[in-house]
Amino acid sequence: MKKHFIWLLAFVLVAGGSYAQVVDTLAIGKNDTINSISVDSIYLSPSAKALQEVEVTAVRPLFAVDGEKELYNVSDDPSVQTGTASDALQNAPGVEVDAEGNITLRGTQSVDVWINDRPSHLSGETLRQYIKNLPANAIDRIEVITNPSARYGGGGPVVNIVTRTKIKRNEFFSFGATGNMRPQVSPWVSYVYSGKKLSFNVYLEYDYSHTWSEQNGGSTLFTPTGDTSAMKSYAMRNDYWRHGSFAYISGHYDFDTLRTLYYWAGAYPSSYSSVSNQEMSWRELIYMPGNYSYHSSSQNKIPQAGYYGGLHYSRQFDDQGHMLWVSADMSGFGYKCTSEEWRDYVEQPLLSYHLCGQSMRNGGNRTSMEVGYSRPFATNWEAVVGARLSYQFPQHYMSTIDSMPTFRRDFLRSYQRTNNEVNYHGYATLQRRIGHFTAKVGLQVGEQYSMVSYSGYTTVTNRGQYLYYVPSIHLSYSTEDMHNFTLSYTRRSALPDAEDLSSFIEYERDSYSTGNPNLLMSPHHTVEGNWNKFWDGFGSVGCEVFYTASTNQVATISDVAYNEVFGREVSFRKPMNIGSSQAAGGRLNVTYRPTAFFNTRFDVQLYNYGYRMMFRPDEWNEENLWTASVRLNVWAKLWDKLQLFGNCRYTTQQLGLMSYIEPCFTVDLGLSTDLWDRKLSIYLNVKDLLDSNRQASAGTNPYLLTSSNMHSSSRYISLGVTLRFGKMELESQSHRGSRAVE
C-alpha cells in the first residue's frame, strides 16, 4: 500500500544547555484522513536527566579476508584471551607452532614474521620467547599473507601480528636451556625493559652441537655417442661440530605518540669443524682405463663471525594508517676454512697424496635503505608507495697447497673472486574496499646491476644488468556467514646471482663448475584462487587452486664433458636458462576447531609439475609428474597448562630437473607445559619418531645417471626449560596497532 509520510519535529533538551533535533515518521494509509493541526508556543526548560554517550559498534567476523590477507581477529575471540600469542597463532589460517615454538605456514618454515606491519627482525629463540610471552589479549589480529604484494617485497609468505596494546611497564628477565640427543646444548638468557619512551631487549646464547649424515650412491658417465666412459660408487660419513654464540639487542624509542625509532643489532661468532670419510669405487673404461678406487679422509676447521643491525623510523599522522617510514640496515660476515685431505689409492698407489692443505676465506657486507609512505584517502581507498636500494660486496679467496711430490701451490685451484651487486626498485600499491569486497593492485619496478671478477690462473670480469617489474593483483570477497573468496596474480622475476655470470672455471679434484655470462632473468607467473568457509564451533574448510609458469628458468644442471685438465670425461655444474616449466594443482584443508584450545588440521595437496628444457644444443628433455602430499597436525591445550603436539607428513615421488626425489614420511610428537603463572615452561619434543626421514634421489640425465641415498641425525628427543621473572603491564588501545579492518 502506498505510504504517505508526515514529519513531526520535536526538540529534546539535553544536559548543559545543548539541543538535539530528532526527526520521526508516522505512516499514514491512503484512505486515512489528515486534519489540520495547530501548535501553540513551545517553551524549553532544562531536563533533570542527561542522555549518556551512545557508542555504535560493528561486530567483525572471527575470520575474514582483505585483499592479499587472511585475517584472524584475535580480539574478537573470547575463548583465546587467557592464552598467549603462541595459542593465537595455532588458530590462524594455515599457521602451526610446534612444541619448541617454531612457526610454520602450510608446512614450510620459510616464513617472515612481521609485527605491526614491520619486519620483526626476530628469529630462533628470540622469536620463540616473544610468542610465548606476549599475551593473546594484547593482539588485535593476525594476518596471513601467502602470496605477498610489492609492499612486502614480493617474496615468501608473511605472518603479521598486529597488537592492540602498549607495554606500559615491563621489566622481564628470563633464562633457560635447550638440548637434544644429537647431542646439542644451548643455554640462553634474556632481559627485557620497557618504559614510557624507551624499550629494549637483550639476548645472549651459546650453542654446542654435533650432527652427522651418511650417504651412499653412484654415477655412470657416458660419451656423446652413448658409450660408457666411467662408473663410480661411494659410501661416506660426515660429522659436524659447532661451538657458537649469539648476541642480540632490539627495541624502540617513542619521541611522542606518533613518532617512533626502532633499532636492532646482532652478532654471531662461532667455530665449525668437520670430519669426512669416504670409500670410492671408480673404474675408467675409455680414457686412461683402469681402476682408481680409493679411501679418503678430510678435516675442516671454520672460524666465522657475522653481524647485522638497522634503524627504522616511523611517523604516524593519524590512527587510520597515514604514515611515513624510513629504514636502513647493514649486515656482514666472514669466515676462514682450513682443510686437510688424505687420499689413498688401492690400485694406483703412486697417485696417493697424504696432505692437501686448502685455505678459503669468504666475507662481505650488505647495506640497504628504504623509504615508504601510506595514505588512506577518499572513502575506503588506501595507497602505499616506497623505494628501496641495496648493495652487497662479497669476496671469496681460495688457496690450495699440494704435496705431489713436494709442497707447492696449486695455481689451477687458487683464485680470488669479488662480487658487486646493486639493486634498486620502487613500488606502489592501491587498495579499494567496497563493502565486503577488496581489490588491491601493486607494481614494483627495479633494476639490478651485477659484476663478478675472478683472478687466478686467468683474469675474468663479467657484468649483467637487468630491468624487471613485479605487478600484482589481489581480489577478495567475504560474506556475513564467513564464506571467503580470494583471487590473486603475481609476476615475479628470478634474477641471476652475480657469481653465476662468470665464465671462470673453478676446478675441484674430480669435477669442475662454471658460470654463464649469457644468463637471462626468468619471469615467473603465479595465479591462486581460494575459497574457505568458517563455522563457529567446528572450524573451517578451504579449497585452493593454483597455476605457476616460468620461462627462461635459471637452474644449475649437472652434465658430462671431456676436459683437457683431467684428460678424461668428468662431471661439471653450470647454470642455464633451461626453457619453461609449469605447475598446476589444488589443495584441500580441513580444520576441526571445536574450541580455541584444540584443533586438528588435515591438508592434502595434488599438483602436476613439468618442464621442457634444452640442456645441450638441439637436445631436449621433457618430463612431468603428479605429486601428492598429505599432512595431519593435532594441537591441544589441556587444563590451561599442558599442550600436546602431533604432526605427520607424507609426500609421494617428486620431479626435479632431470631428477626424481623419492617419497618421504615423517612423524613428530611433542608436549609443553607452563607452570606457576608461566614463570616456568618445559617442553619435550620427538623429531622423526620412526626414523623415516631418508632422502633418496636419482638423476636422469642420459649422459650422467646418478643415484643417492642419505640418512642424517634427524631422529632425536629434545628438551627445553625456561624460567621467567618480572611483570608485564599492558595499556589498551595503543597507537602501535595499525588500522583494523571492519
Side-chain angles (χ1 to χ4, degrees):
M1 182 177 65
K2 183 179 180 181
K3 297 286 184 180
H4 301 284
F5 292 90
I6 293 180
W7 296 90
L8 300 180
L9 184 63
F11 294 90
V12 179
L13 183 65
V14 295
S18 301
Y19 298 86
Q21 178 176 298
V22 178
V23 179
D24 202 356
T25 63
L26 176 64
I28 306 294
K30 73 176 182 178
N31 295 322
D32 295 336
T33 302
I34 306 298
N35 296 320
S36 61
I37 301 174
S38 61
V39 181
D40 292 333
S41 301
I42 298 176
Y43 298 94
L44 301 176
S45 60
S47 172
K49 182 181 289 186
L51 296 178
Q52 301 298 316
E53 178 183 355
V54 177
E55 181 179 351
V56 179
T57 59
V59 178
R60 296 185 301 180
L62 197 59
F63 297 92
V65 293
D66 181 47
E68 63 198 312
K69 306 173 183 176
E70 295 182 76
L71 307 177
Y72 168 42
N73 292 310
V74 180
S75 60
D76 297 317
D77 188 355
S79 60
V80 80
Q81 298 303 303
T82 59
T84 66
S86 178
D87 302 325
L89 283 165
Q90 294 282 10
N91 294 294
V95 179
E96 299 167 10
V97 184
D98 67 13
E100 299 180 23
N102 300 307
I103 299 174
T104 60
L105 178 59
R106 293 182 176 178
T108 177
Q109 291 190 352
S110 57
V111 181
D112 290 331
V113 177
W114 288 40
I115 300 173
N116 294 330
D117 298 319
R118 291 178 298 273
S120 67
H121 303 289
L122 299 176
S123 62
E125 195 65 40
T126 54
L127 178 60
R128 289 190 282 268
Q129 291 304 312
Y130 176 84
I131 65 173
K132 283 182 175 291
N133 292 336
L134 182 67
N137 61 17
I139 301 174
D140 177 57
R141 65 188 184 277
I142 296 173
E143 302 173 347
V144 178
I145 309 167
T146 58
N147 187 19
S149 65
R151 166 67 180 89
Y152 299 92
V158 173
V159 174
N160 183 30
I161 302 173
V162 180
T163 63
R164 64 172 180 170
T165 61
K166 176 184 177 182
I167 299 176
K168 183 179 179 182
R169 179 185 176 276
N170 182 8
E171 193 166 8
F172 210 72
F173 175 76
S174 59
F175 66 92
T178 62
N180 59 52
M181 298 175 60
R182 285 179 164 182
Q184 182 261 337
V185 178
S186 179
W188 58 269
V189 61
S190 174
Y191 175 74
V192 177
Y193 171 82
S194 180
K196 186 176 181 180
K197 288 183 173 293
L198 176 67
S199 77
F200 62 86
N201 168 32
V202 178
Y203 178 83
L204 302 173
E205 178 187 80
Y206 170 78
D207 178 74
Y208 165 78
S209 64
H210 172 213
T211 59
W212 57 266
S213 66
E214 293 179 340
Q215 186 174 356
N216 63 76
S219 61
T220 303
L221 286 65
F222 297 91
T223 66
T225 59
D227 297 323
T228 303
S229 174
M231 295 185 296
K232 298 181 180 181
S233 62
Y234 67 91
M236 63 186 304
R237 177 185 170 96
N238 300 304
D239 287 86
Y240 309 93
W241 292 267
R242 179 184 184 271
H243 295 269
S245 57
F246 176 59
Y248 176 79
I249 183 171
S250 67
H252 66 267
Y253 180 80
D254 293 323
F255 298 98
D256 50 42
T257 58
L258 298 176
R259 297 180 301 155
T260 303
L261 178 67
Y262 301 85
Y263 56 91
W264 63 92
Y268 48 93
S270 60
S271 176
Y272 291 84
S273 61
S274 67
V275 172
S276 176
N277 289 280
Q278 178 178 238
E279 296 288 342
M280 172 69 76
S281 177
W282 173 12
R283 186 182 180 188
E284 288 287 338
L285 300 175
I286 297 179
Y287 304 98
M288 303 186 322
N291 293 324
Y292 295 87
S293 301
Y294 63 83
H295 166 78
S296 68
S297 178
S298 63
Q299 297 180 355
N300 298 278
K301 296 181 180 180
I302 312 173
Q304 72 170 28
Y307 73 93
Y308 63 93
L311 298 171
H312 178 102
Y313 172 79
S314 66
R315 170 67 164 92
Q316 291 182 294
F317 300 97
D318 55 33
D319 60 355
Q320 301 300 309
H322 184 194
M323 66 181 300
L324 171 73
W325 66 90
V326 179
S327 65
D329 62 85
M330 176 180 291
S331 61
F333 72 96
Y335 69 83
K336 180 179 180 180
C337 175
T338 303
S339 63
E340 292 182 292
E341 181 182 358
W342 295 262
R343 181 179 291 191
D344 293 316
Y345 285 86
V346 178
E347 293 89 355
Q348 310 287 342
L350 294 179
L351 297 179
S352 300
Y353 55 87
H354 297 139
L355 176 63
C356 175
Q358 194 172 64
S359 178
M360 179 171 60
R361 296 197 304 270
N362 206 348
N365 296 282
R366 182 181 183 276
T367 304
S368 65
M369 294 174 287
E370 181 178 359
V371 58
Y373 178 74
S374 65
R375 177 66 188 269
F377 63 96
T379 303
N380 293 324
W381 286 87
E382 183 178 37
V384 178
V385 295
R388 184 176 180 85
L389 169 68
S390 64
Y391 171 74
Q392 57 182 352
F393 180 71
Q395 289 184 306
H396 180 82
Y397 175 80
M398 173 76 77
S399 178
T400 303
I401 305 297
D402 279 340
S403 60
M404 302 183 301
T406 59
F407 291 100
R408 62 178 178 83
R409 185 180 183 187
D410 187 344
F411 288 95
L412 199 62
R413 296 175 177 85
S414 299
Y415 58 86
Q416 180 173 343
R417 183 184 70 226
T418 301
N419 299 359
N420 286 284
E421 195 169 274
V422 179
N423 186 300
Y424 53 90
H425 66 258
Y427 61 85
T429 63
L430 182 64
Q431 181 169 281
R432 171 75 161 115
R433 294 187 180 92
I434 307 174
H436 295 286
F437 175 77
T438 301
K440 184 174 185 178
V441 295
L443 178 64
Q444 180 186 122
V445 179
E447 187 173 28
Q448 178 172 295
Y449 172 79
S450 303
M451 184 185 75
V452 55
S453 296
Y454 274 85
S455 177
Y457 63 86
T458 187
T459 299
V460 177
T461 299
N462 297 96
R463 295 176 174 84
Q465 190 169 1
Y466 304 95
L467 178 66
Y468 63 93
Y469 61 97
V470 184
S472 61
I473 302 174
H474 294 81
L475 307 175
S476 67
Y477 177 73
S478 298
T479 65
E480 295 289 350
D481 55 353
M482 291 194 290
H483 283 276
N484 299 296
F485 304 87
T486 63
L487 179 65
S488 66
Y489 165 77
T490 304
R491 179 194 184 275
R492 299 183 176 91
S493 296
L495 306 178
D497 293 332
E499 61 189 76
D500 288 340
L501 298 174
S502 179
S503 57
F504 186 87
I505 297 177
E506 294 184 16
Y507 288 99
E508 300 170 16
R509 282 294 163 187
D510 301 304
S511 62
Y512 68 91
S513 61
T514 185
N516 185 351
N518 301 315
L519 284 178
L520 305 174
M521 66 179 180
S522 172
H524 183 81
H525 304 265
T526 302
V527 180
E528 292 182 0
N530 182 281
W531 165 83
N532 57 57
K533 163 67 173 158
F534 296 91
W535 291 270
D536 292 332
F538 171 78
S540 66
V541 175
C543 295
E544 177 187 292
V545 293
F546 59 87
Y547 175 77
T548 64
S550 298
T551 56
N552 293 327
Q553 181 177 348
V554 178
T556 299
I557 68 168
S558 296
D559 204 352
V560 176
Y562 177 85
N563 188 277
E564 294 181 353
V565 171
F566 298 96
R568 63 178 188 273
E569 282 201 337
V570 295
S571 62
F572 69 93
R573 299 183 305 276
K574 182 178 182 179
M576 296 178 62
N577 292 110
I578 63 167
S580 61
S581 66
Q582 60 284 321
R587 179 194 301 267
L588 172 67
N589 178 275
V590 179
T591 300
Y592 177 58
R593 180 185 179 268
T595 72
F597 296 107
F598 174 82
N599 65 54
T600 299
R601 287 190 176 96
F602 174 76
D603 184 282
V604 58
Q605 178 178 256
L606 178 66
Y607 67 93
N608 179 268
Y609 170 72
Y611 65 86
R612 186 172 188 269
M613 60 177 290
M614 185 174 69
F615 65 99
R616 288 188 179 186
D618 299 323
E619 292 194 55
W620 293 81
N621 183 275
E622 185 173 0
E623 295 184 78
N624 69 84
L625 179 72
W626 283 95
T627 297
S629 65
V630 180
R631 184 165 50 91
L632 179 65
N633 174 269
V634 179
W635 170 75
K637 190 170 186 178
L638 309 176
W639 310 296
D640 199 32
K641 293 184 182 297
L642 181 65
Q643 297 188 65
L644 304 177
F645 305 83
N647 183 71
C648 63
R649 180 188 305 171
Y650 174 74
T651 303
T652 63
Q653 189 181 56
Q654 302 173 71
L655 176 65
L657 292 176
M658 292 195 294
S659 66
Y660 286 91
I661 302 171
E662 297 305 315
C664 62
F665 176 70
T666 59
V667 177
D668 301 329
L669 298 175
L671 61 87
S672 68
T673 183
D674 297 317
L675 304 173
W676 302 325
D677 195 24
R678 290 205 296 271
K679 289 183 172 60
L680 172 65
S681 295
I682 302 172
Y683 78 76
L684 181 68
N685 213 12
V686 181
K687 287 288 190 180
D688 192 17
L689 176 66
L690 304 179
D691 197 22
S692 56
N693 189 14
R694 310 296 175 98
Q695 301 176 31
S697 63
T700 59
N701 184 329
Y703 301 100
L704 178 62
L705 299 179
T706 62
S707 64
S708 173
N709 296 276
M710 187 175 73
H711 178 217
S712 62
S713 51
S714 59
R715 182 171 65 172
Y716 58 88
I717 299 175
S718 60
L719 177 69
V721 179
T722 299
L723 289 169
R724 306 181 182 92
F725 304 92
K727 185 177 181 181
M728 181 181 291
E729 299 177 9
L730 302 176
E731 182 179 276
S732 298
Q733 303 304 320
S734 167
H735 65 278
R736 296 192 190 286
S738 61
R739 181 163 59 99
V741 178
E742 299 297 337

